Structure formats: C-alpha cells, structure tokens
C-alpha cells in the first residue's frame, strides 16, 4: 500500500505537544499543585502537619475520602453519578453489625453477607439506570431514600437502638481487625491500614481505566454514548459493572468504619457523596464525562486531607474547612473548563 | 471491475492522480460473480414499539457498485444503517450476507462479516486518543482474565500503520482525536472501517450541511471503495451528489421503499424532484383541485 500524499484538508500533521505541555494538561496537575500550596500554607502555621503525626492523620483523612472519590471518578468518567454511595456504606456496616450483634454471626460471614447486599444494591442501581435511561442522579436518589429510611427502620425494629455495637470479640474479630482496623505506629503518628486500601483502590482504578477494554469503554461511554453504541462498546454491561464497583467501594468504606470503631452509629445522612464528587472534580474530572483519572482522584483526596488536617492543627474555626473546600471546587471547575475547551477546540480547516 | 455496465454522462470514474484508498481487494475472496449481491435485505421490518420504522424494505448491494439510499429525515435511512451494521436487530424479514441469512447481535459480528460503516458522526470521540478511537470496541489484548489488558504496543503500532495507509503517515496516535482536522477525522473513520477487511462499505453522510471539500472527501471514499470491488451503500439526502456516484437509487419514504431506480431510469432532476417531495406536491395539487 502506498503512503503517497493525499490532501487531508488543512495542515496534515500538527507538532506533538512538548512533554512539559502534556504534563500541564493532565487532569491531576492542578490538584497536585494545590497539595503543595496547602502544605506550604498550613506548614507555616502549624509545623506539626509535616511531622509524622500530622502526616498520619492527613493520609487517614485522604484515604477514607479517597476510596469514595476514586469510585465516583470512574462513574463520572462514564458520565454517571451515584447519590447513594455514602448511605450504602452506612447501610452495609449496619447490616454486618446487626448480623454479628443480634444474630450472633461470625464477623466474616456477616461481612460477606453485607457485601452481597451492597452488590445487590449496585445491580439494582445499574439496571435502573440502563433500563430507564434516566439521569443517574435521579435514579440513585431513589435508592438513596430507600436505603436511608430502610436502614433506620430495620435498625430500630431489630435492635431498638441507634448505635450498633458489641461487634468486638465476635468470631473472626482479630483477623478482621488486622485487615481493616490495624495500624503501624511510626514516630508520633499511627498510620492506619486504610491508607493501603486507598492505594490499592487507586492502583486498581488506574489500571482499569488506562489499560483495559473496560476502561476504554468507560471513557467512550462518557465521551459519546452514541459513538460507543455505534462501535459496539457494551454500554449496558459496562454501566452495571461500574455500579458494582461503586457498591464494593461503599462496602469497603462501611467495613473500615465498622471495624475501626467496633460498631457504627445508625446515621445514614446525605453529604459524603457530595464530598466524593467535590474531590473527584478537584482531581480533574469533567462533570460532563469522558475525562478524568485515578491519579487525579488521589491528588484531590490528598488535597482534601491536607486542608482538613491543616485547619485542624492550625486551630482554625472548623467550619472554615467548608469555605476552603467550596473555593477549591470553584477553582477546579474553572480550571477544568479551561482544560475542556482546550481539549475539544476543533481546529477549523 | 466486475460491476454492471455503467451509463450516464456525469459518472465519476476513478479519480486521476489519486492513490486509491487501501480497500484490500483480497478480502473480497474470489472474484465475485457479476450481479450476485454481497448483501441483501429481503422484506426487512423494524418496529419501535408498534410503529414500524422500516416496513418490508428490500435492497441489494452488488460488488463494485454504489447503491444510494435516499429519503427525507425520518424516512428510515438511519435504521437501515443500524440493521446492516449490527447496532439494531430486525424484527422480520431476512438479512443476507453472501447469500446466507444472518442476524447480527452486535456491531462486532457485522464487522467480522466484512461490513464496515462510516457513521454520520464518524463515531470518533474527541477526548480519547487517536489509537483508542481506532480500536474502540475491538481492542487487541494480551494476558488472561482477570489480568487481560490492552496490548499497548500492538494497538499503537497497528493504528499508526492503518492511518499511514490512508495518507496520514506521521500522525501522532497519542494525541486526542479533538486535535485532528476534520479531514483527518474522516480518514481515521475510513482507516478503522477498513481495518478488519471489508467487502461492504456503508457510508452515512452527515445530515448537517457540508463544505464542498468535505463532500469531495466523502465522495472520494465512496468511489475508491467501489473501484476496489466493494459493495457500497451511500446514505445521503443530497440527490445531486448521489447521482454523481450512484448506480442504483433506493428511495425511502415512511419506512418503505418508495422507488428503486437505476441510472437509466432517472436523471439528476428527476431524482431531485422525487426526493424533495415532488410526488407529494403533485398529490396535494390534485387533492386541492378535486375539493375546489
């Protein structure tokens, strides 16, 4: 076959962008810059932040928000959202807790049962989104309401309490605590195992997104649903699989909380989902879908943890955290808007 | 060339001074018998709920010829494209490839049977890189599940090689498709359609008004594919351009075949009149006369 010149209407080949320029257009770059700025600002006010104690609590805060954020990032890249993830994590920890304290199950069977329950919710979410074709925000809002009310009703009628405890000491507790609740004392801080779970989630999500056909399907779904369908990307199964992953992340968050505290307050409230969403956007996700990265979500979570711990240690009024988070969100939305315009600007022929 | 004899004064021949697009002749197998259709629709019906989008549509694609599918918006052109390329299943009737009845469940099956489609929107996703776009829905992988992953080296090289064959030898396949010129995007869609070896090319022309240069690009693709011996289905709403390249003209109206004409049957003006509702206008005039 010949490679002879053929007019392609316009400049045939554009110069490849330089390495530095590519680094600047990565979705995670602004968040990493933010982490550096936050470390400098709060480090000047409260030097303990960069000590081992500060780092340990910084990373713990980042890990818990980061696991949710990385799941939300996968959904956002596919152009979806899940309002029920925070409540699902509470519901699954309450389920596991009640099975241990009321039904006398071992810890591991209870955790397995709550995982199955969470996955069932994920399947329902995914199927509803696929079958109705409605915005996932509305569909998962329905799941959120059912889970919120259902958790309270069940906890009240079964245990008659708003606090599930007496989980410690049940069969299998030591191994569960080693896996979900342990930590390593290093210097003045206790580095918790949640950090490892977070890293694992980020690595897995990053690998899925960048290296697998599933990841390509996720980008395609968010980038153009029509094109994805035309090219035979399995849109329905990809969507359901995504909600299964989100449900698993919610279960992991619930389990980490349950094992760490040896119990869990039955307080399924709205709010966690929004923080995951904010962190994902700070990490460079476009709300319209089709763009974002796992590393970006990690950077966003790191920024969240730094600011939250920094405000804590520096002794600021705790509500000022929300102010800072709001400002960060606006900056992120503006920066992402610029990135999007630059990426999608179609050169005229 | 094995197609039927062509007549008509403005017929576009092979483009001079142009390398033909790399439609691999070998994939068509043995030289096709003249007139034997490579793809045929027999009384195909597709329903959305109870409303038929296609009503007993029949259509034949012969190797080395261009069949133009014409009609207004909503006449069912896109549904034909969807059925032929495996995006939508037909409810009744038969879809035959090389004389054998098939029923595609997904686009991959259509592609495997040698049916390549260039979609209206080109099915190019701006935020994804060129190589990811190229392999979309059919990425080369290695390893076994759950460690199966995209073979990056094979994917990048394969995309670059296929793009070089359509005249984009030095294209950076790692840039987002948004950075491509419109012509390059079209070439990407052509390269992708042809990659798996095609014997049928479906070209769905964008409904939005195109520039002359863009029209030329589409028509050149159609002509090159025809000259390579493919059966071409050219879906368009512009009768002038259709008549430049077409051997056969199938008019759809309300999901039915309203007319099935050859070049001998109709000239450009006749075709234009048929499509732009000349028939409807005549009926309307008669109705008005009768009532007055």
């Amino acid at each position: 076959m010949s490679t002879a010149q053929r007019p392609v209407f316009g400049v045939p080949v554009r110069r490849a962008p330089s390495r530095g320029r590519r680094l600047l257009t990565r979705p995670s770059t602004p968040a990493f810059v933010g982490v550096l700025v936050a470390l400098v600002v709060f480090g000047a006010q409260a030097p303990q932040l960069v000590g081992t104690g500060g780092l340990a609590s910084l990373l713990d805060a980042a890990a818990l928000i980061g696991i949710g954020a990385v799941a939300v990032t996968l959904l956002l890249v596919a152009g979806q959202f899940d309002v029920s993830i925070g409540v699902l994590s509470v519901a699954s920890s309450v389920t596991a807790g009640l099975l241990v304290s009321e039904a006398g199950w071992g810890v591991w069977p209870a955790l397995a049962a709550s995982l199955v329950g969470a996955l069932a919710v994920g399947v329902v979410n995914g199927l509803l989104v696929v079958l109705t074709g409605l915005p996932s925000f509305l569909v998962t809002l329905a799941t959120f309401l059912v889970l919120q009310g259902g958790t309270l009703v069940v906890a009240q009628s079964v245990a008659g309490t708003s606090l599930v405890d007496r989980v410690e000491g049940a069969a299998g507790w030591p191994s569960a605590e080693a896996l979900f609740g342990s930590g390593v004392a290093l210097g003045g801080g206790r580095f918790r195992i949640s950090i490892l779970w977070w890293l694992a989630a980020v690595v897995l999500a990053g690998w899925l997104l960048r290296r697998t056909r599933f990841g390509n399907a996720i980008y395609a779904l968010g980038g153009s649903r029509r094109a994805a369908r035309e090219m035979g990307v399995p849109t329905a199964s990809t969507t359901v699989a995504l909600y299964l992953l989100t449900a698993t992340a919610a279960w992991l968050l619930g389990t980490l909380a349950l094992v760490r505290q040896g119990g869990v307050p039955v307080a399924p409230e709205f709010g966690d989902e929004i923080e995951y969403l904010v962190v994902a956007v700070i990490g460079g996700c476009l709300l319209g879908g089709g763009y974002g990265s796992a590393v970006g979500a990690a950077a966003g979570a790191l920024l969240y943890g730094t600011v939250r711990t920094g405000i804590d240690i520096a002794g600021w009024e705790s509500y000022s955290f929300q102010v800072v988070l709001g400002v960060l969100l606006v900056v992120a939305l503006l920066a992402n808007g610029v990135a999007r315009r630059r990426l999608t600007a179609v050169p005229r022929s | 060339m094995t197609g039927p004899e062509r007549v008509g004064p403005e017929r576009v021949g092979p483009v001079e001074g142009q390398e033909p697009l790399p439609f691999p002749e070998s994939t068509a197998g043995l030289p096709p018998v003249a007139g034997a259709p490579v793809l045929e629709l027999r009384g195909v019906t597709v329903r959305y709920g109870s409303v038929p989008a296609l009503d007993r549509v029949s259509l034949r694609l012969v190797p080395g010829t261009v069949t133009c599918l014409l009609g207004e918006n909503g006449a069912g052109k896109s549904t034909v494209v969807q059925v032929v390329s495996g995006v939508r299943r037909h409810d009744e009737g038969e879809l035959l490839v090389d004389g054998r009845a098939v029923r595609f469940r997904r686009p991959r099956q259509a592609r495997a049977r040698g049916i390549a489609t260039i979609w209206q929107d080109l099915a190019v996703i701006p935020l994804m890189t060129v190589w990811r776009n190229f392999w979309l829905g059919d990425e080369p992988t290695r390893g076994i599940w759950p460690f199966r992953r995209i073979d990056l080296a094979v994917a990048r090289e394969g995309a670059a090689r296929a793009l070089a064959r359509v005249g984009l030898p030095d294209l950076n396949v790692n840039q987002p498709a948004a950075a491509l010129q419109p012509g390059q995007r079209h070439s990407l869609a052509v390269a992708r359609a042809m990659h798996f070896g095609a014997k049928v090319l479906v070209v769905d022309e964008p409904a939005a008004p195109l520039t002359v240069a863009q029209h030329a690009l589409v028509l050149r693709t159609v002509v090159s594919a025809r000259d390579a011996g493919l059966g071409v289905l050219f879906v368009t709403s512009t009768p002038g351009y259709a008549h430049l390249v077409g051997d056969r003209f199938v008019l759809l109206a309300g999901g039915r075949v309203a007319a099935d004409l050859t070049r001998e049957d109709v000239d450009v003006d006749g075709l234009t009149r048929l499509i732009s509702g000349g028939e409807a206008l005549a009926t309307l005039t008669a109705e008005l006369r009768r009532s007055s």
Side-chain angles (χ1 to χ4, degrees):
Chain A
M1 284 304 157
S2 154
T3 56
Q5 278 299 306
R6 171 182 308 284
V8 284
F9 305 104
V11 192
V13 181
R14 295 216 308 182
R15 218 151 25 96
S18 70
R19 196 180 177 78
R21 202 182 168 81
R22 261 183 306 170
L23 207 64
L24 278 178
T25 52
R26 282 231 180 107
S28 54
T29 307
F32 276 123
V33 173
V35 172
L36 286 181
V37 171
L39 279 177
V40 169
V41 168
F42 290 107
Q45 294 210 359
Q48 310 95 292
L49 180 67
V50 286
T52 46
L55 275 181
S57 41
L58 182 165
L59 286 175
D60 185 46
L64 291 182
I65 204 81
I67 292 170
V70 85
V72 167
T73 294
L74 291 183
L75 281 176
L76 274 182
V77 170
Q80 307 280 356
F81 186 56
D82 186 352
V83 190
S84 66
I85 174 168
V87 171
L88 180 57
S89 80
V90 174
S92 63
S93 63
V94 168
T95 307
L98 286 177
L99 284 174
V100 171
S101 65
E102 301 298 319
W105 287 29
V107 174
W108 285 109
L111 286 179
S114 70
L115 176 60
V116 170
L119 290 175
V121 173
V123 169
V124 169
N125 271 338
L127 286 181
L128 281 177
V129 168
V130 168
L131 294 178
T132 61
L134 291 171
S136 52
F137 187 86
L138 289 175
V139 174
T140 54
L141 189 61
T143 320
F144 162 80
L145 290 170
V146 171
L147 280 176
Q148 187 182 37
T151 309
L152 287 167
V153 168
V154 169
Q156 283 294 336
S157 59
V158 172
T161 171
S162 58
L163 179 73
V164 176
D165 52 5
R166 293 182 285 129
V167 178
E168 277 173 84
W173 175 258
S175 55
E177 196 185 23
L179 203 54
F180 296 111
S182 60
V184 180
L186 212 84
R190 185 154 185 268
F191 290 86
R192 290 179 174 274
I193 199 163
S194 53
I195 299 167
L196 289 182
W197 282 105
W198 173 43
L199 287 179
V202 170
V203 169
L204 176 67
W207 183 76
L208 283 176
L209 270 179
R210 310 298 305 178
R211 296 297 308 269
T212 66
R213 303 186 57 178
F214 178 60
N216 243 16
I218 294 175
Y219 278 113
L221 269 182
S224 164
R225 187 163 298 261
R226 176 178 166 185
R229 250 169 60 84
E230 287 168 348
M231 294 313 293
V233 173
T235 53
S237 61
T238 304
T239 307
V240 175
L242 275 173
Y243 280 97
L244 284 175
L245 280 179
T246 317
T248 310
W251 171 84
L252 177 59
L253 285 168
T255 303
L256 286 170
L258 178 74
V259 174
R260 173 183 296 192
Q261 297 155 9
V264 61
V266 187
E269 279 163 1
F270 191 71
D272 284 352
E273 307 70 19
I274 297 303
E275 291 201 330
Y276 302 146
L277 178 68
V278 168
V279 167
V281 171
I282 289 174
C285 275
L286 289 178
L287 283 173
Y291 191 67
S293 72
V295 176
L302 210 51
L303 180 54
Y304 175 100
T306 311
V307 172
R308 169 143 249 180
T309 315
I311 284 176
D312 214 25
I313 296 180
W316 293 13
E317 179 63 46
S318 66
Y319 289 114
S320 56
F321 171 67
Q322 285 186 332
V323 178
V324 177
L325 199 63
V327 171
L328 284 175
L329 178 61
V330 170
V331 172
L333 285 172
L334 292 175
N336 292 356
V338 172
R340 182 185 174 80
R341 267 195 295 283
R342 277 176 53 171
L343 276 165
T344 55
V346 180
R348 304 265 165 209
S349 59
Chain B
M1 208 52 14
T2 50
E5 197 188 340
R6 296 190 187 98
V7 285
E10 334 80 326
R11 190 73 161 70
V12 175
V15 187
E16 291 203 12
Q18 285 284 342
E19 289 289 327
L21 283 177
F23 297 103
E25 276 114 305
S26 55
T27 54
L30 294 168
V33 185
V38 60
L39 184 122
E40 187 174 359
L41 275 70
R42 274 192 204 153
V44 165
T45 298
V46 175
R47 292 194 194 85
Y48 296 99
S50 59
V51 186
L54 288 183
D55 190 3
R56 283 162 288 159
V57 167
S58 296
L59 184 77
R60 319 172 87 205
L61 292 189
V62 176
T65 65
V66 177
T67 304
C68 295
L69 189 62
L70 296 140
E72 296 178 300
N73 284 340
K77 299 193 301 270
S78 326
T79 311
V80 170
V81 175
Q82 287 179 346
V83 167
V84 167
S85 30
V87 169
R88 178 176 295 278
R89 262 176 286 172
H90 52 287
D91 297 308
E92 281 165 33
E94 279 187 310
L95 177 64
L96 295 107
V97 178
D98 289 327
R100 261 183 301 172
V102 290
R103 203 173 150 87
F104 297 135
R105 290 177 167 276
R106 47 185 68 92
R108 260 179 102 169
Q109 295 172 335
R111 253 177 286 169
R113 290 305 197 96
I115 299 170
T117 307
I118 297 173
W119 294 92
Q120 261 193 7
D121 62 342
L122 300 180
V124 168
I125 297 175
L127 286 171
M128 295 176 80
T129 60
V130 170
W131 73 262
R132 280 180 197 272
N133 264 295
F134 182 87
W135 292 104
L136 197 58
D138 223 344
E139 298 86 353
T141 56
R142 63 197 179 100
I144 45 163
W145 198 89
F147 304 107
R148 190 178 300 146
R149 57 208 181 272
I150 298 176
D151 195 331
L152 292 182
V154 168
R156 290 199 174 110
E157 272 169 37
R161 231 178 299 123
L163 284 163
R165 283 203 294 267
V166 293
L168 298 173
D170 300 316
L171 194 75
N172 173 15
V173 294
N174 293 318
Q175 63 184 332
L180 298 181
Q181 313 284 340
Q184 292 176 324
R185 281 193 206 199
H186 182 85
S187 299
L188 169 59
V190 173
R192 181 171 60 182
M194 288 302 109
H195 178 74
F196 301 96
K199 47 194 176 190
V200 170
L201 181 69
V202 181
V203 181
D204 195 359
E205 199 187 41
L210 299 180
T211 64
V212 172
Q214 284 165 336
H215 265 302
L217 202 59
V218 173
L219 291 181
R220 194 178 305 126
T221 307
V222 168
V223 169
S224 311
R226 177 199 72 198
D227 293 343
L230 276 71
V232 182
L233 182 64
F234 181 37
V235 184
T236 178
S237 47
T238 329
Y241 291 110
H243 205 267
L244 275 179
V245 295
D247 298 292
R248 203 173 182 92
F249 307 94
V250 176
L251 265 68
L252 281 184
R256 295 180 188 199
V257 175
D260 190 346
L261 308 162
T262 61
R263 291 185 71 77
E264 292 97 291
D265 299 332
V266 66
D267 59 2
V268 183
D269 293 336
L271 204 57
T272 312
R273 232 176 307 120
L274 280 172
I275 292 158
S276 54
E279 222 170 4
L281 200 63
T283 322
L284 197 61
T285 316
E287 284 285 321
L288 285 171
R289 283 214 186 102
R290 209 174 306 145
S291 58
S292 62

